[in-house]
Amino acid sequence: MLKVAFAPDTIPGQNALILTVAEKRKLGEQGQKLDKKLGGALSRAMESSHFTGAKEQTLTIMAPAKTRLTRLVLVGIGDPAKSNAALFTRVGAAAVAALNGKDAQAVLLVDRFNSLTLAVGEAAAQAALGARLRSYRFDKYRTKMKADQKPALKHLIVACKETSAAKARYAPLDKVADGVYLARDLVSEPANILYPETLAQHAASLAELGVKVDILDEKQMKKLGMGALLGVAQGSVNPPRLVTMQWLGDTAAKDKAPVCFIGKGVTFDTGGISLKPPGGMEAMKHDMAGAAAVIGAIKALAGRKAKANVVGVIGLVENMPSGAAQRPGDVITTASGQTVEIISTDAEGRMVLADALWYAQEKFKPRCLVDLATLTGAIVIALAGEHAGLFSNDDKLCDQLTQAGKSVEETLWRFPLGEAYDKLINCPIADMKNHGGRDAGSITAAQFLQRFVRKGALWAHLDIAGTAWQSKDLPLSVKGATAYGVRLLDRFVADNFEDRIEF
Ligand code: BES
Ligand code: MN
Ligand code: ZN
């Protein structure tokens, strides 16, 4: 795992150096000094390439003469007067992605520019976060990796003029990165290793951070009448779990109604008797990404000792076809008392969430509910991996979530809800059916969830089926699990439920 440290902004004598450069090939305070020392080599290198210092652009100069540096990487920040936190997160990420070589140690010098809109300490902290996010890998099952396939970078020193401010600002961000790492690990684990019981154990490990974790087993869920969740689980030899994680960080008011996050945790989704086609089914190990995001967010909040009361509730099941599996046509009774006819056993996420949502409201009387779920293929068709779908009964909650998503570049796009859509899940033989047909598939899924939200409760649903897993590298994550939602939820809490931390 990459280790990050901070240091004053001096030019190092050896190893790799990454230096920030502004648009129009403008060097900052330290950059100008270095260029002079090197007889204008930096300026010449920039002029003889297409490097202009545009955002996230990089240029590598190998073994620059008159130094003992192995390489010098220039990384663009664009117009310093238009920079923000998210940009520097990307700059830090671009920096480590550009290294991609032999260096075990590197210095990332976040240089000063007079017109920089961000304090340089804040910029450095954000760059450090980006470096950590981008350097995540899941290599634990690769036993034959050659040296040149392994990430070389072990230590990154982020250098800037405001070292102590950078350190202080980075401390909570480092905890957020820990939450992201945990969520990515969980999403990446195969389903033979990660099933409801083992996923619950991972959640239980948050107790170390002062989180109160409770795990309900099948028997307890039966008592609570959770026929929806149990119906999905009954086809699998791996028994289900329902986990609650309470972080009561509002020390002045531990009894204040909590914010509640609910996660879909289907550790593998075969579709059940409504079996999915085989091509690409292996991807369904990530059908627990909503639960992983909730675990990761609670880890981040507890890690940085957020001054807010937040509860996570995750429903954990494996959706398998077997002689014991539920059938299309079965009618089940949910914990809310409402009945559902199963049309497709592949519409299982909403069943799990129906009981988890109900339980969360009964147990915690939360001030608002936000659920995250890899719920529908239709959201992938609508938005690809660019945004997650947002569905809610409250405009203000939507604004808060949308704003938080923008800040951390985990963006949301709102979809409508309404009676006309709700009608599509009416059913002649039960209170509702679990599948409203192909049209507006993501919306009818959300309408289904809304039937388990109590009158007056503030609720939002995030359909993360397109954003939880990516088939290509992104600025802040390599191909694979993104941990989408961890940073968004952390930010949502920071901006709306605790005093803003000012530096
Ligand atoms: N887990 C899937 C949704 C999904 C699709 C997640 C692609 C990630 C990537 C969900 O349980 C599902 O199977 N949904 C069905 C619902 C349908 C049967 C109403 C779908 O989207 O096809
Ligand atoms: Mn499914
Ligand atoms: Zn699913």
Side-chain angles (χ1 to χ4, degrees):
M1 190 153 78
L2 179 67
K3 288 218 171 68
V4 175
F6 293 88
D9 62 338
T10 48
I11 303 283
Q14 56 201 5
N15 299 322
L17 169 65
I18 308 148
L19 181 69
T20 55
V21 177
E23 68 176 11
K24 300 189 184 137
R25 297 175 174 146
K26 250 179 77 191
L27 293 167
E29 206 174 276
Q30 294 295 329
Q32 286 174 17
K33 271 191 212 161
L34 181 63
D35 194 31
K36 215 173 257 167
K37 217 171 106 189
L38 301 186
L42 292 190
S43 300
R44 281 201 307 282
M46 290 194 283
E47 275 150 28
S48 44
S49 77
H50 290 299
F51 180 88
T52 62
K55 287 182 210 170
E56 299 165 76
Q57 210 185 18
T58 59
L59 173 68
T60 301
I61 305 161
M62 295 304 298
K66 297 188 197 167
T67 75
R68 283 167 50 229
L69 294 171
T70 53
R71 69 177 74 206
L72 173 55
V73 180
L74 304 181
V75 57
I77 63 164
D79 181 354
K82 290 188 185 142
S83 64
N84 58 23
L87 168 73
F88 274 94
T89 314
R90 280 175 176 244
V91 164
V96 299
L99 275 182
N100 187 31
K102 277 181 67 171
D103 297 286
Q105 288 211 34
V107 171
L108 166 57
L109 201 155
V110 179
D111 212 352
R112 248 178 49 131
F113 292 88
N114 286 334
S115 53
L116 198 65
T117 36
L118 223 56
V120 80
E122 167 76 14
Q126 294 293 342
L129 171 68
R132 266 203 80 192
L133 293 177
R134 177 61 198 240
S135 59
Y136 173 86
R137 310 262 306 220
F138 188 77
D139 290 331
K140 70 189 274 200
Y141 297 117
R142 300 182 63 180
T143 66
K144 296 186 176 173
M145 260 163 86
K146 305 214 172 70
D148 63 355
Q149 295 176 308
K150 288 186 191 162
L153 188 65
K154 296 274 182 307
H155 294 277
L156 179 70
I157 294 164
V158 180
C160 76
K161 196 138 213 148
E162 299 169 3
T163 316
S164 57
K167 266 189 201 161
R169 181 62 188 105
Y170 179 66
L173 296 177
D174 192 51
K175 304 299 178 185
V176 175
D178 288 344
V180 167
Y181 268 54
L182 174 59
R184 287 182 185 169
D185 279 344
L186 296 174
V187 172
S188 306
E189 281 290 356
N192 60 325
I193 306 292
L194 199 84
Y195 42 92
E197 288 166 288
T198 51
L199 183 48
Q201 278 161 17
H202 283 285
S205 73
L206 297 189
E208 285 168 24
L209 299 172
V211 177
K212 184 173 180 295
V213 183
D214 287 296
I215 303 177
L216 302 189
D217 63 15
E218 238 173 328
K219 237 170 114 186
Q220 292 163 297
M221 286 188 268
K222 224 171 242 168
K223 242 190 182 157
L224 291 159
M226 297 188 175
L229 187 153
L230 291 169
V232 177
Q234 77 188 36
S236 172
V237 293
N238 291 311
R241 293 288 183 265
L242 188 109
V243 183
T244 61
M245 296 161 276
Q246 300 181 64
W247 168 249
L248 304 179
D250 192 342
T251 38
K254 279 194 183 290
D255 52 354
K256 195 164 174 183
V259 174
C260 188
F261 300 140
I262 297 108
K264 168 179 172 181
V266 176
T267 57
F268 197 81
D269 182 12
T270 64
I273 295 299
S274 313
L275 194 61
K276 286 184 181 296
M281 204 204 276
E282 69 283 356
M284 282 302 118
K285 73 171 181 182
H286 86 245
D287 211 16
M288 35 55 73
V294 172
I295 297 173
I298 299 283
K299 177 163 177 137
L301 293 165
R304 67 174 183 78
K305 299 194 162 44
K307 289 190 174 50
N309 296 339
V310 184
V311 182
V313 177
I314 52 177
L316 311 179
V317 301
E318 187 179 52
N319 189 22
M320 297 290 275
S322 81
Q326 73 179 352
R327 295 144 289 253
D330 284 5
V331 175
I332 59 85
T333 303
T334 65
S336 74
Q338 302 177 90
T339 57
V340 181
E341 182 186 16
I342 308 296
I343 301 300
S344 170
T345 63
D346 198 12
E348 85 298 339
R350 63 198 74 181
M351 305 304 293
V352 174
L353 287 174
D355 282 342
L357 274 167
W358 192 256
Y359 183 72
Q361 293 166 90
E362 293 282 285
K363 177 95 181 164
F364 300 112
K365 311 268 180 285
R367 55 201 286 184
C368 65
L369 301 142
V370 181
D371 77 69
L372 291 90
T374 47
L375 203 64
T376 66
I379 207 73
V380 190
I381 305 293
L383 298 173
E386 299 302 320
H387 305 274
L390 169 62
F391 305 79
S392 176
N393 57 7
D394 187 71
D395 293 346
K396 185 174 165 210
L397 181 56
C398 277
D399 289 345
Q400 292 170 330
L401 287 164
T402 303
Q403 191 46 51
K406 263 193 192 144
S407 303
V408 300
E409 297 193 323
E410 291 181 345
T411 53
L412 292 167
W413 197 264
R414 190 178 184 180
F415 281 70
L417 292 168
E419 223 179 296
Y421 295 114
D422 190 62
K423 271 193 195 145
L424 299 175
I425 51 171
N426 282 341
C427 174
I429 79 149
D431 296 336
M432 68 196 91
K433 52 187 179 183
N434 80 335
H435 183 4
R438 260 174 51 114
D439 292 357
S442 303
I443 302 177
T444 52
Q447 293 292 164
F448 183 93
L449 298 181
Q450 195 174 13
R451 291 197 183 198
F452 298 88
V453 175
R454 279 183 174 282
K455 229 187 169 149
L458 305 178
W459 158 77
H461 156 59
L462 277 45
D463 193 336
I464 62 168
T467 53
W469 186 272
Q470 295 280 355
S471 52
K472 57 180 197 302
D473 290 352
L474 294 186
L476 303 183
S477 59
V478 292
K479 190 174 146 170
T482 59
Y484 180 100
V486 173
R487 292 188 307 125
L488 188 159
L489 295 179
D490 172 74
R491 187 60 188 246
F492 169 67
V493 171
D495 286 352
N496 302 291
F497 303 99
E498 45 179 346
D499 292 334
R500 285 291 299 270
I501 314 155
E502 303 289 348
F503 292 93

